[in-house]
Amino acid sequence: MSNETLELAFQKKIDDELKIEPKDWMPEKYRQTLIRQISQHAHSEIVGMLPEGNWITRAPSLRRKAVLLAKVQDEAGHGLYLYSAAETLGITRDQMLDQLHDGTAKYSSIFNYPTLSWADMGAIGWLVDGAAIMNQVPLCRCSYGPYSRAMIRVCKEESFHQRQGYEIMLTLAKGSAAQKKMAQDALNRFWWPSIMMFGPNDDASPNSKLSMAWKIKRFSNDDLRQKFIDVTVEQANILGLTIPDPDLKWNEERGHYDFGEINWDEFWNVVKGNGPCNRQRLEARKNAWEKGAWVREAALAHAQKKAAKQSVA
Ligand SMILES: [Fe+2]
Ligand SMILES: [Fe+2]
């Protein structure tokens, strides 16, 4: 079959809402786009464990500690499903981790911001996991089978993460004046980085069109950002907290909230590695990789021993 015929059959499958599976023919660019997206998503999950891991030992109660611990473990699990999904496209986990460690692969910029107070655990769950859900629910219908199936489970867990964060915010916002102030401060620091999580504006996002045609993406960055802002404003009102954007205003005509200018210089600066915690995060991941070398070697030796025994039998 010619490449053109293969490509037509491939696109027809996508148009018919059928899934592309690992052994199916696919254009090289589709494979590469998915490898980039899924591996960066996986990296975000495991780097995302770091800012929250920072607070496990300082959670204010046993219940809070148990919940946060469970949440951070979920993120490790998300990383593992996603690395496995990416491996079906012909890249190894070692290669992906090399790319993370040498800085050629990116992860979500939000995790390069520090977590300064307990309220940050609330703001992250509410806003960061909330933004992640907005992004990830449409990925459950992604055209690539292994990615879409991983996302179904991930999204169920993300909704628990969002609620645990919102509950922390609610408790603080209805608590003492000092607690409310702490919640407001966390919202002030995490609001803009959260809405940057949806990525550059549509006109500055050249790969989006192809990703939409291939049904990897279902909605544009700006559409998802707008949706997130519309639901989150209402949630902030219930908390009695103020979103740090003086231009935020309901637009009757559009049926959406208008919002202020995003500081894209800040966004690109963090993407390029100059955010407040980029170096610290990467150091922590590299350190964990090096310290875990003996575990990988032991697992490999065990697998080889088992295989050798089986072949003798
Ligand atoms: Fe996650
Ligand atoms: Fe999460």
Side-chain angles (χ1 to χ4, degrees):
M1 250 192 283
S2 74
N3 239 34
E4 210 172 317
T5 321
L6 286 166
E7 222 155 292
L8 280 173
F10 168 83
Q11 189 63 49
K12 181 164 189 317
K13 224 165 157 181
I14 288 178
D15 294 342
D16 292 345
E17 297 291 334
L18 296 171
K19 296 289 177 219
I20 306 298
E21 296 298 338
K23 289 187 176 146
D24 294 347
W25 185 90
M26 62 187 83
E28 196 46 32
K29 180 107 203 276
Y30 177 85
R31 182 189 302 278
Q32 292 308 331
T33 300
L34 278 167
I35 287 178
R36 198 191 63 232
Q37 181 171 336
I38 302 173
S39 66
Q40 296 192 359
H41 190 165
H43 299 328
S44 301
E45 301 284 355
I46 61 162
V47 176
M49 296 168 73
L50 298 169
E52 291 180 290
N54 185 33
W55 279 91
I56 290 172
T57 54
R58 288 177 284 165
S61 69
L62 182 60
R63 174 173 170 266
R64 292 290 185 205
K65 191 195 284 278
V67 172
L68 184 61
L69 200 57
K71 194 242 183 206
V72 172
Q73 282 178 337
D74 282 353
E75 307 299 5
H78 298 174
L80 297 184
Y81 308 147
L82 290 164
Y83 283 127
S84 300
E87 281 184 306
T88 64
L89 291 155
I91 185 167
T92 67
R93 194 172 301 204
D94 284 7
Q95 284 172 315
M96 288 185 269
L97 287 164
D98 279 347
Q99 292 169 353
L100 173 67
H101 298 154
D102 70 18
T104 48
K106 303 286 178 217
Y107 55 85
S108 184
S109 286
I110 190 86
F111 302 120
N112 292 313
Y113 290 85
T115 45
L116 305 177
S117 79
W118 170 253
D120 291 7
M121 298 305 96
I124 288 180
W126 172 36
L127 300 172
V128 177
D129 293 88
I133 293 170
M134 229 18 122
N135 254 321
Q136 292 174 8
V137 165
L139 287 173
C140 297
R141 294 190 293 131
C142 165
S143 59
Y144 188 57
Y147 193 26
S148 80
R149 290 188 288 271
M151 290 323 294
I152 291 170
R153 174 150 178 199
V154 166
C155 281
K156 285 184 187 157
E157 293 175 346
E158 291 303 346
S159 93
F160 149 67
H161 300 168
Q162 196 269 352
R163 277 179 289 170
Q164 68 88 33
Y166 193 71
E167 199 228 342
I168 292 174
M169 291 303 269
L170 199 57
T171 307
L172 293 172
K174 305 288 173 211
S176 68
Q179 285 174 315
K180 186 167 181 185
K181 199 170 157 229
M182 204 160 98
Q184 181 64 55
D185 170 64
L187 170 57
N188 292 349
R189 284 180 291 106
F190 279 96
W191 174 254
W192 289 102
S194 300
I195 64 172
M196 289 178 198
M197 279 176 72
F198 296 93
N201 287 133
D202 294 346
D203 46 14
S205 177
N207 294 325
S208 275
K209 243 196 188 132
L210 204 50
S211 285
M212 301 266 267
W214 282 335
K215 296 189 182 171
I216 296 173
K217 256 177 112 124
R218 299 270 175 171
F219 300 98
S220 77
N221 295 355
D222 287 331
D223 285 349
L224 290 167
R225 185 169 11 245
Q226 182 71 63
K227 254 184 162 170
F228 173 73
I229 290 172
D230 289 347
V231 302
T232 310
V233 172
E234 305 298 329
Q235 295 166 352
N237 290 342
I238 295 170
L239 294 173
L241 299 177
T242 310
I243 290 178
D245 178 357
D247 296 321
L248 195 69
K249 214 174 98 219
W250 178 252
N251 183 326
E252 195 63 60
E253 213 172 294
R254 291 201 310 124
H256 292 292
Y257 280 94
D258 289 338
F259 53 96
E261 198 65 48
I262 294 170
N263 183 349
W264 291 114
D265 289 341
E266 176 184 330
F267 174 78
W268 289 115
N269 193 44
V270 181
V271 170
K272 283 180 191 135
N274 306 316
C277 298
N278 293 60
R279 256 166 278 268
Q280 192 185 329
R281 300 292 183 236
L282 218 51
E283 260 334 289
R285 286 310 323 160
K286 279 197 250 183
N287 197 16
W289 177 252
E290 279 154 22
K291 280 194 183 148
W294 70 273
V295 179
R296 296 190 299 277
E297 280 159 22
L300 201 63
H302 178 70
Q304 280 164 351
K305 214 163 118 187
K306 222 169 132 186
K309 258 189 203 158
Q310 248 162 10
S311 74
V312 168

